[in-house]
Amino acid sequence: MNPNVNILAIIPARGGSKGIPRKNVLLLSGQPLISYAIQNAKSSGFQMDVAVSTDDQEITNVSNQFGAEVIRRNKKLASDEVTLDPVIFDAVQQMEGKTGKTYDYVITLQPTSPLLSADTLDSAIQKMLNDETIDTLISAVNDPHLSWTTKEVKGVVTVLPNYEARLNRQYLPKNFVETGAFVITKRHFVKPDTRFGKNISVYEVPASESTDIDTKQDWWVAEKQLSKKNILIRVEGYSEIGLGHVYRGLSLAYSLMDHNVTFVTSSKSDLAIKKLEDSFIKYEVIQEEHQLEEIIAKYDVDIVINDILNTSISYMEYLSQFSVRVVNFEDVGPGSALADAVINDLYAPQNTDSKYYWGSKYYLLRDEFLISKPSEFNEEVNNVFVIFGGVDPSNLTQKVLAAFEQINTNEDVEYTVVVGPGYAEFEKIQDIAENSALNISVFKDVNNMAEMMKRSDIAISSQGRTMLELASMNVPTILMAQNERELTHEFGYLSNGFINLGLGEAIDSSSIALTLEWLMNTPQIRRQMYNQMQKKDLRNGFKRVKSIILGDE
C-alpha cells in the first residue's frame, strides 16, 4: 500500500431506476444495494475518499448512514441521456474543492456490483500502482464462448463465427467482458467527455464477483450469492462403520449446491476418501482433530455438520470456540447437548428438547429414490433382494445365501444380492452363487439401487438407512440388525411394513429360511406390509433438514 497516493472512489447513483424501482436503496440480503460499494471502498487497504454522486434524497440519506460523502448531482447531469463521463468529472471537481486535494487516481465504483470484494478491488488498485504504463484499468470477467456475429456483404447480411476453430470452452482464447464493477483511471484523464487514457488494461475478476444488477434476474443471482453459506461436513467411513455417513453427507452436499460445501475426514477413513474422490467432491483429510481449526479458517466456515456418530463434550467444546453453527447427525452422545441442532432420523424421540429432531420425517432420500416411482405389488414373488450396507461387518449376506438353499419355492425366483465397496467376502459369495442351483446374481457397489429395489417383491436388509430406502420403494422387507446400535433404530417394525428378526448374528440360517418362505407364500401379509409403507412420507426430508441446517427452522 502506498500512503502517499490520493485516491477518490466515486459511486454514481441516480434515483430514477425504472427496471428495478428504488434499486440503489432496496435491501439486498439485508443491506441497501449501494452500501456494498460504499463498504468496499471504506474497508480498502488504501486510504481513499468515498463520494456518492446522486440526485436523490433517499440515496443521500442511506449514503450518509454508511459514511460516504454525498455530491449533489444537478438535473442536467441526472437525465437518462447523460453518460457517466461528465458525472464523474463533476464529482471529482466538487470533491477536490471540498478536500483541497489533487487526486492521483479516480475510481468509478458502480453500486450495481455488490458481489465485488474489497480484496479484489485492492488487488486491482495495486496493479495500477505497480504498472505505471496503465492509464485506465477496467474490471472484466473471462467469458469464452463460441459466438457469432453478422456482417453485411454486398447488401446481404451474413452470420459469421467469432472463432477460428470449434473448441471446448476451456480451450477457447480469453474473451473479456466488462463487469461494470469499477474503472480505475489516472486523474488527468478524467475530463467532461471521457475517463479513459490511451493505454487501457483489464483486471480479471472472479466469475462469482461479476454480476452487474440490471434486471430482476440479476438481483436474484446476487441475493443467492450473498446468502451462500460455507459449510463443512465431517464424516468417517472405514470397514468397521461402513459408508452410511458418507452417503448421507453426499446427499446433503448435492442438496446444498447453492452453498459452498467442503468435506473433512480422517486419514483412517480409507473408504470415505475413496468415495469422496470418486464423487469429485472437495475434501480435506486430517490426522488430528486440532487440524479442524486451520480448515475452518481456510474456508471461512459458517456451519459445521458432524456425521460421526456420538460426539464427546471435549470435541463439541473445541468447536464452540470458532463461532460456527454446529449440526450433528445420528448423535445420542454427551456432546450432542452442545450442538445447535441434532437430527436423529433413525431414532424414536428420547427427549423433548426443541433442538433435537427425531424420526424418519428427517430422513434424506438420495436423488435416485426421489425421482423413481415405487414398486407395484405382485401376488407372486419373482425377485428377492438382499442388501446389508456398504461393509456388512457381520457377514449377514453369506448367512442369507445359506438360507436360500433351505427354501422350497418356485425355481424361477431370482435372488439379487448387492454388496458395498467395503464388503470383504465378495469373491466367496460369488463362488457360492455360481455353484448354486438357484438363480442368484451378485453385484458390488451398484449405481442404480432404486431401480433394483423397484424390481423386488421381498427384500432382506439390515436395520440402517437402507430400510428407509426400501420403504420409499414399498418393498416388504425382513430386517436383521448389524449391531446393538441398529436395534435402537425406530421405524423397522410391522407397523411400517417390516418383519424384524432382531440381531442378525443371533439368527441362524434356518430361521431366516422359515421366515422368508412363509412370507413368500402369504401374499396377504406382504400386501399389508406394502400398504403400510405406502402411508409413510419419506420424500420431504430434505426440505425439513435444509431448514434446520441453515437455521431457518
Side-chain angles (χ1 to χ4, degrees):
M1 306 299 178
N2 188 341
N4 298 318
V5 175
N6 288 325
I7 301 174
L8 172 62
I10 300 172
I11 303 168
R14 286 196 307 129
S17 175
K18 295 181 177 63
I20 304 177
R22 297 180 60 249
K23 175 170 66 177
N24 287 310
V25 294
L26 280 182
L27 297 187
L28 176 68
S29 194
Q31 291 186 207
L33 175 60
I34 196 171
S35 70
Y36 291 96
I38 295 172
Q39 289 172 328
N40 268 344
K42 293 188 72 67
S43 62
S44 167
F46 296 91
Q47 297 300 310
M48 64 179 72
D49 292 332
V50 183
V52 172
S53 171
T54 186
D55 61 327
D56 183 87
Q57 188 58 49
E58 191 174 11
I59 294 174
T60 296
N61 296 340
V62 171
S63 300
N64 285 333
Q65 287 180 41
F66 284 88
E69 186 76 29
V70 174
I71 300 296
R72 293 297 298 183
R73 193 188 309 185
N74 63 44
K75 290 183 179 181
K76 186 178 179 181
L77 293 176
S79 66
D80 291 338
E81 297 78 18
V82 175
T83 66
L84 279 182
D85 295 330
V87 172
I88 300 303
F89 179 74
D90 171 69
V92 172
Q93 284 195 314
Q94 288 198 50
M95 280 297 293
E96 287 183 335
K98 284 186 176 184
T99 64
K101 297 178 183 177
T102 299
Y103 292 104
D104 301 295
Y105 294 91
V106 174
I107 304 173
T108 305
L109 199 58
Q110 290 283 19
T112 51
S113 295
L115 304 183
L116 179 72
S117 70
D119 287 341
T120 297
L121 178 61
D122 279 357
S123 295
I125 296 170
Q126 194 62 59
K127 179 177 178 177
M128 280 286 289
L129 297 180
N130 291 343
D131 189 346
E132 293 185 358
T133 66
I134 299 175
D135 297 327
T136 303
L137 189 63
I138 304 172
S139 63
V141 63
N142 181 31
D143 189 24
H145 281 91
L146 294 173
S147 62
W148 295 69
T149 189
T150 57
K151 185 177 181 180
E152 185 175 334
V153 180
K154 295 181 179 179
V156 178
V157 177
T158 305
V159 178
L160 299 171
N162 284 327
Y163 56 85
E164 294 181 2
R166 294 187 67 87
L167 302 171
N168 289 337
R169 188 169 182 267
Q170 62 268 34
Y171 300 116
L172 289 171
K174 288 193 172 186
N175 179 51
F176 288 115
V177 179
E178 290 187 38
T179 68
F182 59 78
V183 174
I184 307 173
T185 195
K186 292 176 179 175
R187 165 63 181 92
H188 58 273
F189 291 111
V190 178
K191 299 172 183 177
D193 58 350
T194 185
R195 291 167 290 145
F196 296 87
K198 293 181 179 179
N199 186 13
I200 300 172
S201 184
V202 298
Y203 186 86
E204 185 176 349
V205 303
S208 60
E209 299 182 23
S210 66
T211 299
D212 178 31
I213 296 180
D214 188 47
T215 65
K216 292 178 181 179
Q217 174 71 15
D218 298 330
W219 188 280
W220 181 85
V221 170
E223 186 88 53
K224 276 288 186 181
Q225 190 72 20
L226 287 167
S227 62
K228 274 188 175 183
K229 300 292 186 183
N230 297 321
I231 301 173
L232 191 69
I233 302 179
R234 186 178 178 192
V235 296
E236 300 292 345
Y238 44 89
S239 59
E240 288 80 8
I241 66 170
L243 281 168
H245 306 285
V246 179
Y247 284 122
R248 177 162 51 197
L250 287 171
S251 294
L252 269 177
Y254 299 143
S255 74
L256 293 165
M257 289 298 287
D258 50 349
H259 299 276
N260 301 314
V261 178
T262 305
F263 279 77
V264 63
T265 191
S266 66
S267 56
K268 71 177 180 180
S269 288
D270 55 331
L271 297 179
I273 292 170
K274 178 66 166 58
K275 186 62 183 178
L276 293 172
E277 185 75 29
D278 291 345
S279 302
F280 303 101
I281 291 286
K282 183 167 58 177
Y283 70 94
E284 299 274 353
V285 178
I286 58 173
Q287 308 293 329
E288 303 289 342
E289 207 164 76
H290 66 82
Q291 292 176 286
L292 282 172
E293 179 176 5
E294 181 181 341
I295 294 171
I296 289 171
K298 176 181 178 180
Y299 294 103
D300 192 21
V301 170
D302 301 301
I303 301 170
V304 173
I305 298 173
N306 291 302
D307 200 340
I308 54 176
L309 294 179
N310 297 351
T311 58
S312 65
I313 290 176
S314 61
Y315 171 70
M316 294 299 293
E317 286 179 339
Y318 168 72
L319 285 182
S320 68
Q321 66 182 301
F322 303 121
S323 300
V324 295
R325 178 172 174 80
V326 180
V327 180
N328 293 358
F329 277 85
E330 203 173 338
D331 185 3
V332 292
S336 67
L338 301 179
D340 294 292
V342 182
I343 303 169
N344 289 331
D345 56 350
L346 293 173
Y347 298 96
Q350 298 179 20
N351 60 46
T352 57
D353 191 317
S354 61
K355 73 177 179 182
Y356 287 85
Y357 301 85
W358 303 97
S360 57
K361 67 184 291 188
Y362 300 106
Y363 181 68
L364 304 178
L365 275 178
R366 287 183 285 158
D367 289 356
E368 60 174 308
F369 293 95
L370 291 172
I371 64 176
S372 182
K373 292 182 179 179
S375 65
E376 296 182 0
F377 182 79
N378 291 319
E379 291 290 326
E380 292 189 6
V381 173
N382 299 308
N383 189 295
V384 176
F385 185 74
V386 180
I387 180 169
F388 285 100
V391 176
D392 188 10
S394 302
N395 199 13
L396 300 179
T397 302
Q398 191 169 337
K399 187 178 288 189
V400 170
L401 284 177
F404 290 162
E405 302 294 337
Q406 304 173 47
I407 295 175
N408 295 314
T409 188
N410 187 341
E411 62 183 15
D412 293 329
V413 172
E414 296 179 7
Y415 298 91
T416 303
V417 180
V418 173
V419 299
Y423 182 63
E425 304 293 335
F426 178 59
E427 292 181 359
K428 182 180 290 187
I429 65 166
Q430 274 188 313
D431 289 339
I432 293 172
E434 289 173 2
N435 293 316
S436 174
L438 300 173
N439 185 6
I440 302 175
S441 301
V442 180
F443 301 90
K444 184 176 183 179
D445 196 20
V446 301
N447 58 11
N448 60 335
M449 190 72 76
E451 288 304 305
M452 297 185 82
M453 289 182 179
K454 183 177 179 178
R455 294 196 297 267
S456 306
D457 301 303
I458 294 176
I460 306 175
S461 174
S462 52
Q463 201 172 331
R465 295 176 191 84
T466 306
M467 70 174 171
L468 291 154
E469 294 174 345
L470 287 161
S472 76
M473 301 305 294
N474 298 344
V475 182
T477 300
I478 298 169
L479 295 178
M480 292 184 285
Q482 287 278 7
N483 48 50
E484 296 286 345
R485 185 184 181 98
E486 277 197 1
L487 286 174
T488 66
H489 293 172
E490 68 119 17
F491 196 77
Y493 299 101
L494 192 57
S495 60
N496 293 319
F498 299 94
I499 293 174
N500 196 318
L501 298 183
L503 192 63
E505 61 185 24
I507 302 293
D508 58 32
S509 59
S510 297
S511 299
I512 299 169
L514 286 170
T515 305
L516 177 58
E517 186 173 351
W518 167 76
L519 189 59
M520 293 172 77
N521 293 322
T522 51
Q524 67 272 26
I525 299 298
R526 287 189 285 107
R527 169 72 77 174
Q528 289 182 34
M529 297 168 71
Y530 179 92
N531 290 342
Q532 289 301 107
M533 288 181 170
Q534 279 189 315
K535 295 177 182 178
K536 306 307 293 187
D537 173 21
L538 297 174
R539 295 178 178 264
N540 291 301
F542 272 111
K543 182 178 179 180
R544 300 181 185 112
V545 168
K546 284 177 69 174
S547 293
I548 295 166
I549 288 172
L550 299 174
D552 299 330
E553 184 78 358

